[in-house]
């Protein structure tokens, strides 16, 4: 089977009427939780998840079974499971796709996670800009309750679990797990230092499993088909498939699924490849927190170690393609503006560093625009810095080393890789005040 033919989540999503309880049951849904809660123990479910090797799909790629174990062993009650559906990064839409496509699958994953970790309440945080996902999930919660799968003594087994649907803060920084927990408690969405990790001290200071939507979607499949099945897909050190939200300059942007380790080129080919008359110049294989891969490296397998070799990461499955018609200085400016806007402002390196990053990158072209297309004299004094090519790597390194959370640490990753991949394009802007492609100054 070619990698692109292995897509268990998309196969499930292709079944009809999954947004109804009847449709979900007809598609074989619910079997995993029913069997677990009636015939298995939380320890056995945790053992299966551990054995499957499943790692979180939200960006940190931490083993899900280990996190469940930590919550189950933590002292303090009640325990919570929080579904992270904030999904605020550029090109992020695969979680919304899952929630809209099969809300009961996510809830079944949540029930399994709750049962395995000894939790009694689940909170589903859905991104603010996804009203249809919120509506379908709320409807599914009512459907589950009507079927006797929520509340006290579920299916007469003694297991009690409640679920609420919460609307996310609508900002990228609140996808970080500690900021998410703050925001969902009505507080300012600032991240806090870890440890203590949420598994020890999370929602209302109680043990909490924070888990991504796609991670939850995998749980019923693993419990139903067994950990060996899951381990047989993908890579030995990172099994299973991932959903890839492909956007940018491809013919068919959308959600695709392939085993971890599939070459990026194969996923891009599924998305139709470059648009008519264009050539791909670079791709961000893990969204804005990742590093650009040049066109020559598109055969790179989509896996943590292979992307790390290029300075990047898998992120949360957003693949953004850029054609040769892009000005990468302009792309870098937009990335910097995004991180500046999304920085929560709590720590100085990120608050000031992202602002400075944007200012330095904008100074090279805004100078021309303000002066009717001609470089402005004395721009070095009015709009610092004097040497952007030297200052940018320093800023990026400072951000990476001293920011308090992953947002600041990753804010310069893509920009730094663009500087390394397209030195001439940047030099033309910085030294000669020229955009070789005549894009950002036209
Ligand atoms: C700035 C930032 C944004 C994040 N956004 C998300 C998000 O939208 N969804 C998500 O599941 N994880 C996000 N994460 C990762 C979470 O902190 C956390 O690792 C994840 O929700 C855990 O779930 P998992 O183990 O299933 O991946 C983000 C992290 C950072 C630093």
């Amino acid at each position: 089977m070619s990698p692109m033919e292995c897509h268990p989540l998309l196969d499930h999503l292709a079944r009809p009427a999954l947004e109804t309880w009847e449709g979900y049951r007809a598609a074989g849904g619910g079997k995993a939780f029913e069997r677990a809660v009636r015939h298995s123990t939380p320890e056995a479910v945790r053992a299966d998840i551990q054995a499957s090797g499943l790692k979180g799909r939200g960006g940190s790629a931490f083993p899900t079974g280990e996190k469940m174990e930590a919550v189950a062993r933590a002292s303090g009650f009640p325990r919570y499971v929080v579904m992270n559906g904030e999904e605020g990064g550029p090109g992020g839409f695969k979680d919304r796709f899952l929630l809209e496509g099969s809300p009961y699958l996510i809830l079944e994953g949540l029930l399994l996670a709750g049962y395995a970790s000894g939790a009694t309440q689940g909170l589903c945080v859905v991104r603010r800009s996804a009203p249809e996902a919120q509506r379908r999930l709320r409807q599914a919660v009512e459907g589950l309750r009507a079927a006797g799968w929520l509340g006290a003594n579920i299916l007469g087994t003694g297991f009690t679990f409640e679920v609420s649907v919460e609307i996310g803060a609508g900002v990228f920084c609140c996808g970080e797990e500690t900021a998410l927990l703050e925001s969902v408690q009505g507080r300012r969405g600032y991240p806090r230092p870890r440890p203590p990790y949420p598994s020890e001290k999370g929602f209302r200071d109680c043990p909490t499993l924070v888990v991504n939507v796609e991670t939850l979607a995998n749980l019923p499949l693993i419990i139903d088909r067994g950990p060996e099945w899951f381990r047989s897909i993908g890579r030995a050190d990172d099994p299973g498939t991932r959903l890839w939200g492909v956007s940018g300059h491809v013919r068919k942007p959308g959600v695709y699924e392939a085993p971890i380790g599939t070459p990026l080129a194969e996923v891009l080919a599924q998305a139709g490849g470059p648009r008519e008359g264009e050539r791909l110049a670079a791709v961000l294989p893990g969204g804005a927190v990742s590093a650009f891969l040049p066109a020559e490296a598109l055969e790179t397998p989509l896996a943590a170690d292979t992307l790390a070799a290029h300075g990047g990461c898998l992120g949360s499955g957003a693949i953004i393609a850029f054609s040769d018609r892009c000005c990468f200085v302009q792309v870098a400016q937009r990335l910097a503006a995004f991180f500046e806007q999304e920085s929560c402002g709590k720590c100085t390196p990120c608050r000031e560093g992202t602002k400075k990053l944007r200012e330095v990158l904008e100074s090279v072209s805004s100078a021309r625009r303000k002066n009717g297309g001609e470089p402005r004299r004395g721009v070095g004094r009015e709009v610092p810095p004097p040497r952007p090519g030297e200052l940018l790597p320093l800023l990026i390194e400072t951000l990476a080393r001293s920011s308090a959370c992953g947002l600041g640490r990753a804010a310069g990753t893509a920009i730094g890789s663009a500087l390394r991949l397209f030195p001439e394009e940047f030099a033309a802007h910085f030294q000669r005040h020229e955009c070789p492609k005549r894009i950002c100054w036209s």
Side-chain angles (χ1 to χ4, degrees):
M1 195 191 321
S2 101
M4 295 309 299
E5 285 166 22
C6 175
H7 29 60
L9 285 170
L10 291 187
D11 285 346
H12 166 80
L13 287 166
R15 304 292 296 267
L18 287 174
E19 69 281 10
T20 67
W21 178 237
E22 295 71 28
Y24 184 63
R25 293 295 270 165
K31 275 190 307 193
F33 172 69
E34 197 168 14
R35 204 172 54 233
V37 77
R38 284 195 199 282
H39 307 296
S40 190
T41 61
E43 292 76 20
V45 175
R46 289 204 300 276
D48 274 354
I49 303 301
Q50 294 249 36
S52 74
L54 172 69
K55 291 184 178 173
R57 299 328 197 200
S60 69
F62 192 81
T64 307
E66 272 183 45
K67 272 205 311 203
M68 285 181 170
E69 204 64 51
V71 175
R73 286 174 186 214
S75 54
F77 288 98
R79 294 179 186 138
Y80 297 94
V81 181
V82 174
M83 179 202 86
N84 190 347
E86 185 67 59
E87 207 175 39
F93 47 85
K94 53 99 181 161
D95 289 340
R96 173 166 57 90
F97 179 79
L98 271 172
L99 285 165
E100 288 177 3
S102 189
Y104 283 103
L105 178 72
I106 310 305
L107 291 176
E108 188 179 356
L110 195 76
L111 279 164
L112 281 165
Y115 182 64
S117 338
T120 50
Q121 187 163 354
L123 288 93
C124 297
V125 184
V126 187
R127 66 190 272 183
R128 186 162 286 271
S129 58
E132 185 58 17
Q134 293 158 16
R135 190 186 69 75
R136 289 191 181 201
L137 198 63
R138 284 209 176 91
Q139 211 170 44
V141 168
E142 289 322 310
L144 268 193
R145 188 166 286 113
W149 284 47
L150 281 185
N153 195 20
I154 293 169
L155 302 176
T157 60
F159 174 57
T160 293
F161 198 75
E162 261 307 335
V163 175
S164 65
V165 177
E166 314 287 336
I167 298 180
V171 282
F172 182 49
C173 64
C174 285
E176 193 281 334
E177 58 184 11
T178 60
L180 179 86
L181 291 172
E182 291 295 303
S183 69
V184 87
Q185 290 175 86
R187 298 200 285 255
R188 193 167 184 157
Y190 276 162
R192 60 158 177 76
R194 299 171 305 172
Y197 288 92
S199 52
E200 217 182 304
K201 222 169 180 225
F203 186 69
R204 294 184 180 149
D205 287 343
C206 292
T208 303
L209 180 78
V210 181
V211 62
N212 172 256
V213 175
E214 186 185 343
T215 314
L216 288 175
N218 276 293
L219 297 182
L221 273 59
I222 292 169
I223 297 302
D224 188 33
R225 303 179 193 183
E228 302 75 28
W229 164 77
F230 193 75
R231 284 210 87 100
S232 70
I233 304 167
R235 307 229 318 187
D237 60 347
D238 197 356
T241 64
R242 285 201 59 162
L243 291 179
W244 312 104
V246 186
S247 62
H249 301 147
V250 286
R251 284 173 213 245
K252 294 188 289 174
V255 177
Y256 299 87
E257 185 180 16
I260 293 173
T262 301
L264 172 60
E266 289 193 30
V267 180
L268 291 169
Q270 283 290 306
R275 298 182 305 196
E276 187 77 39
E278 292 182 355
R279 194 180 59 79
L280 287 184
V283 177
L284 276 177
V289 297
S290 183
F292 283 101
L293 281 185
E296 308 78 62
L298 296 187
E299 285 302 326
T300 304
L302 288 165
D305 56 345
T306 47
L307 295 183
H310 289 270
C313 61
L314 273 177
S316 58
I319 295 178
I320 312 173
F322 295 84
S323 85
D324 55 352
R325 297 196 182 167
C326 289
C327 163
F328 281 88
V329 176
Q330 188 181 54
V331 172
Q333 286 167 357
R334 289 184 179 164
L335 283 165
F338 167 76
F339 282 104
E340 180 193 12
Q341 183 177 323
E342 297 294 319
S343 169
C344 76
K346 185 184 177 194
C347 77
T348 311
C350 178
R351 184 185 63 245
E352 298 302 322
T354 52
K355 178 169 176 277
K356 195 79 185 160
L357 204 56
R358 198 245 325 136
E359 281 177 358
V360 173
L361 283 160
E362 280 189 352
S363 68
V364 291
S365 52
S366 61
R368 265 212 165 191
R369 256 192 241 115
K370 281 186 205 146
N371 198 28
E374 287 307 310
R376 196 153 39 116
R377 274 197 283 166
V379 72
R381 279 191 302 280
E382 288 174 59
V383 189
R387 289 190 187 152
E390 285 166 29
L391 195 56
L392 283 173
L394 270 177
L395 269 172
I396 291 167
E397 195 182 336
T398 310
L399 273 161
R401 283 175 180 240
S402 49
S403 297
C405 89
L407 186 146
R409 286 199 287 271
T413 307
I415 297 169
S417 66
L419 272 167
R420 289 189 297 276
L421 288 180
F422 306 105
E424 279 126 42
E425 201 161 323
F426 278 85
H429 287 76
F430 293 165
Q431 289 158 17
R432 301 193 300 279
H433 297 277
E434 270 174 28
C435 176
K437 292 174 184 158
R438 306 202 63 77
I439 293 172
C440 65
W441 289 348
S442 57

